[in-house]
Amino acid sequence: MKDKSAQELVLEIKDKSELMVDLAYSCLLYDNQRIAKEVYDLEDLIDDLYHLVQQKAVSSAAEGDLSVEDTLALLRLAHAGEMISDAAQEIADVVLRDVELHPILKESLREADVVFTRVEVQEGSDMVGKTLGELRLASETGMMIIAMRHKSRWLYGPNKNTVIDAEDIMFAKGPEDGEKHLMKLAGIQQIEE
């Protein structure tokens, strides 16, 4: 992490804070404390990244590698990402404090244009043994896999090389019709209510 530039660290903060928001809404929707705790862990990581960006940006400005304007822009972007991560942590906190979510709020989350879904890959499904890249889920279904659980191991932000096994649990987001297609690919006959 220390050999990355301030610009690369800002991009990492952006990516991780986006992931945190997705995970925070997923843990809220599925009342999943394990994912809520992961949001907390990611927030700690972003705090560390933010501190490192501040150091690197100021150091680069002092050495003349970055202009004052570019330094301020990087610091503002990093701060915005850090604030997003704080907000995601507050969402996850609702689950960790075991606050009952009002039914109307839960329903509004389910009726949003982008749905969050939990899918368990069934034995013998079209997905088993293939990578996310081979499956091209984002282009085929519109669904983006934001996290997966393989046995007891969690993977956040899986990539195209991630292999899918039977009984893997995937958390995904995308359009409602994409959710149905994803479930069919995973070997699930009907959507659980």
Side-chain angles (χ1 to χ4, degrees):
M1 183 165 39
K2 291 201 177 215
D3 55 352
K4 291 183 179 179
S5 70
Q7 295 90 327
E8 290 170 320
L9 292 170
V10 168
L11 289 176
E12 189 171 348
I13 288 173
K14 173 207 154 298
D15 291 342
K16 295 264 191 298
S17 63
E18 285 178 0
L19 174 62
M20 284 179 68
V21 170
D22 291 341
L23 292 174
Y25 279 119
S26 293
C27 78
L28 190 63
L29 192 57
Y30 297 105
D31 195 27
N32 188 312
Q33 290 197 353
R34 176 71 180 107
I35 294 176
K37 289 176 184 171
E38 288 293 334
V39 171
Y40 264 71
D41 291 344
L42 282 168
E43 205 286 323
D44 289 341
L45 173 64
I46 287 185
D47 285 346
D48 293 342
L49 289 172
Y50 180 50
H51 186 259
L52 199 53
V53 166
Q54 290 173 320
Q55 289 176 333
K56 286 191 175 264
V58 170
S59 176
S60 293
E63 294 170 5
D65 295 335
L66 278 177
S67 69
V68 172
E69 292 80 16
D70 288 344
T71 302
L72 288 172
L74 283 174
L75 292 174
R76 286 182 185 133
L77 288 170
H79 180 69
E82 203 277 330
M83 287 175 49
I84 291 168
S85 75
D86 289 346
Q89 184 181 33
E90 288 181 26
I91 293 169
D93 190 53
V94 170
V95 172
L96 291 176
R97 287 187 294 123
D98 205 23
V99 174
E100 184 64 31
L101 197 59
H102 193 282
I104 292 175
L105 181 56
K106 203 166 212 172
E107 189 61 33
S108 71
L109 286 172
R110 291 188 190 276
E111 290 183 8
D113 290 340
V114 174
V115 295
F116 292 90
T117 191
R118 177 189 180 277
V119 176
E120 184 172 348
V121 179
Q122 304 299 302
E123 186 71 48
S125 82
D126 294 339
M127 301 176 106
V128 174
K130 295 182 181 166
T131 65
L132 288 175
E134 290 172 319
L135 292 169
R136 300 176 36 163
L137 293 177
S139 58
E140 293 293 324
T141 67
M143 300 298 288
M144 183 162 129
I145 308 302
I146 58 173
M148 290 177 56
R149 189 179 79 205
H150 177 76
K151 297 181 180 166
S152 62
R153 189 176 66 100
W154 282 89
L155 177 62
Y156 296 96
N159 63 37
K160 66 181 180 179
N161 299 318
T162 303
V163 178
I164 309 294
D165 291 325
E167 298 181 7
D168 281 353
I169 296 175
M170 301 183 299
F171 287 86
K173 72 173 185 173
E176 188 174 350
D177 58 341
E179 176 186 30
K180 293 172 185 167
H181 190 176
L182 178 65
M183 290 189 162
K184 184 178 176 187
L185 287 173
I188 298 170
Q189 300 305 316
Q190 60 185 354
I191 296 177
E192 300 169 6
E193 294 297 327

